Amino acid sequence: MNKMNKHQQLMTIMMEECGELIQRCSKMMRKYETIEEVDEKQRVKLLEELGDVQCMIGLMVDHK
């Protein structure tokens, strides 16, 4: 089996995290018509996904 190098691993995780953020945004757009309708639980979930992507951006920058 081929092992991924560190850069491939970072890119794969980044793609997964971006996919999760996209999915969360899509669910919120389908469920709510305005941002004011979004409940706190959903806001927290969105912020968690944003944080994961932000973390991955930092890791990728650090690893050039």
Side-chain angles (χ1 to χ4, degrees):
M1 178 163 66
N2 251 346
K3 287 193 172 187
M4 288 191 275
N5 64 39
K6 287 182 183 181
H7 289 93
Q8 290 170 324
Q9 289 176 344
L10 283 171
M11 290 176 69
T12 300
I13 295 168
M14 173 60 98
M15 290 186 296
E16 292 169 354
E17 294 300 340
C18 287
E20 291 174 13
L21 176 58
I22 291 166
Q23 186 177 38
R24 174 60 44 202
C25 290
S26 177
K27 286 179 180 180
M28 290 178 73
M29 288 175 64
R30 283 195 321 265
K31 187 172 181 178
Y32 305 102
E33 287 191 32
T34 66
I35 193 70
E36 292 79 22
E37 295 175 9
V38 179
D39 61 61
E40 186 63 22
K41 182 178 176 182
Q42 295 303 315
R43 288 175 191 260
V44 168
K45 287 181 178 184
L46 177 62
L47 288 173
E48 288 172 354
E49 296 302 342
L50 286 165
D52 290 347
V53 171
Q54 187 174 31
C55 178
M56 289 309 302
I57 290 170
L59 284 171
M60 290 185 76
V61 169
D62 290 347
H63 287 86
K64 298 177 179 25

